[in-house]
C-alpha cells in the first residue's frame, strides 16, 4: 500500500514535470508570420506578456517538479505542501492569462475594437492552443498532487 | 491557543468573503462611455469574458467563504481543504485573466494591432483596477487559509 502510493506520487511529479516542460517548449517555439499590404507581420510568444508568463511559469513548474521528485515523502512537510499549492496557483494563473489572450486572438472584441488575429497567423494560434492543453494537464496534475499531500497528512500510517 | 486559532480562522474566512464580494460588486458596477466621431461607445464588464469571469468566480468565492464560516474546525476534512485549494485556484485564474485584459486595455499590443482603450474610458479602467485589488486580497487570504488548514492538520492538538 505504502509502496503503491509512493509510485503514484513519483508518477504524478513526473507527469507534472513533463506537462510543464512541454507547455513551455511548445509556446516558446510557436511562430508564424503573414503579409498584409506588402508588410510582413510576425507572431511570437514574446510579443504578448501573457504568453511570456505561460513560458516562465511552466519553466518554474518544471524545475520545482524535478526538485520535488527527490524529496522523500517522509519529509512531507508544511513547506512542501505550501510550495505545491503555490505552484498550482502559479500554473493556474498562467493558463488563465494565456487563455484570455487566446480567446481574444480567436474571437476579437468588437466593443474594444480589437480584431481577431488567428485567421492571419493560424500556426501560432494552434501552437498556443497546444501549449495551453499541456499546461492544463500540469494544473490538473498539481491538483492531484495537493490531494495526495492532504490524503497523506490525514492518513499518516501511509507515510513510510 | 485553540481559541485564538479559531478566531484567526473565522477572521480569515470573513476577510475572504468581504474581499470576494467587494471585487464582484466593484467590477459589476463598473461602467463608462465615450463619444468618438459622434458615436457613443460604452464599456461594461459584460463586454469582456475575462471581467465576467472575475465577477462569477468572486461570487462563487463569496458564497463558499460564507458557507465555510459555519463548518466547525473539528470537521476540517479532506473535502474542505480541497475546496479551499480549488477556490484559491479559481480566484487566481480570475484575477490572472482580468489582469491580462487590464494590461492590454492600458498598454494595447502593437504587434496584434490592439489599441489601448483606457484613455477613452478611464473610469471603467479605474473600477477594474479596484476590483482586481480586492480580488488580490481574496487570493492572498485563501493562501493563508490553506496555510492554516495544513498547519492544523500537522498540529492536531490545536484542533478543538
Amino acid at each position: 500500500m505504502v509502496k503503491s502510493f509512493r509510485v503514484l506520487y513519483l508518477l504524478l511529479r513526473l507527469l507534472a514535470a513533463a506537462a510543464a516542460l512541454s507547455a513551455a517548449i511548445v509556446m516558446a517555439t510557436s511562430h508564424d508570420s503573414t503579409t498584409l499590404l506588402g508588410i510582413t507581420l510576425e507572431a511570437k510568444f514574446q510579443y504578448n506578456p501573457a504568453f511570456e508568463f505561460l513560458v516562465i511559469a511552466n519553466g518554474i513548474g518544471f524545475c520545482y517538479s524535478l526538485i520535488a521528485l527527490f524529496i522523500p515523502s517522509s519529509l512531507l512537510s508544511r513547506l512542501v505542501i505550501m510550495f505545491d499549492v503555490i505552484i498550482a496557483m502559479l500554473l493556474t494563473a498562467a493558463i488563465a492569462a494565456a487563455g484570455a489572450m487566446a480567446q481574444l486572438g480567436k474571437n476579437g472584441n468588437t466593443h474594444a475594437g480589437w480584431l481577431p488575429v488567428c485567421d492571419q497567423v493560424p500556426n501560432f494560434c494552434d501552437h498556443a492552443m497546444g501549449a495551453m492543453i499541456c499546461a492544463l494537464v500540469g494544473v490538473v496534475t498539481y491538483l492531484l498532487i495537493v490531494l495526495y499531500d492532504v490524503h497523506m497528512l490525514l492518513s499518516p500510517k501511509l507515510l513510510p
Side-chain angles (χ1 to χ4, degrees), chain A:
Chain A
M1 186 71 172
V2 174
K3 263 197 177 177
S4 61
F5 264 92
R6 180 70 189 156
V7 170
L8 175 70
Y9 180 75
L10 291 177
L11 283 178
L12 284 174
R13 290 282 182 200
L14 277 174
L15 179 62
L21 182 65
S22 307
I25 288 176
V26 172
M27 182 55 90
T29 55
S30 57
H31 180 262
D32 199 0
S33 61
T34 185
T35 305
L36 277 177
L37 306 170
I39 303 167
T40 301
L41 299 174
E42 277 191 308
K44 289 179 182 179
F45 83 97
Q46 296 100 319
Y47 290 167
N48 195 310
F51 294 148
E52 279 187 314
F53 181 38
L54 189 88
V55 173
I56 293 168
N58 278 279
I60 293 171
F62 167 68
C63 294
Y64 172 73
S65 302
L66 277 196
I67 293 168
L69 263 177
F70 299 102
I71 299 172
S73 61
S74 55
L75 284 182
L76 199 65
S77 68
R78 286 173 180 77
L79 207 64
V80 175
I81 299 168
M82 277 317 293
F83 268 115
D84 284 346
V85 172
I86 289 169
I87 293 292
M89 289 169 75
L90 178 73
L91 296 179
T92 305
I95 199 173
M101 281 300 148
Q103 189 274 340
L104 183 65
K106 191 166 185 291
N107 302 320
N109 187 317
T110 49
H111 302 288
W114 297 329
L115 297 174
V117 293
C118 278
D119 293 339
Q120 272 79 46
V121 283
N123 284 339
F124 179 78
C125 288
D126 289 346
H127 259 241
M129 184 58 75
M132 280 191 294
I133 290 170
C134 295
L136 186 63
V137 172
V139 167
V140 173
T141 309
Y142 260 95
L143 198 58
L144 293 176
I145 289 174
V146 173
L147 188 68
Y148 172 96
D149 291 342
V150 171
H151 185 65
M152 282 304 183
L153 282 180
L154 285 171
S155 314
K157 282 177 193 165
L158 289 174
L159 288 174

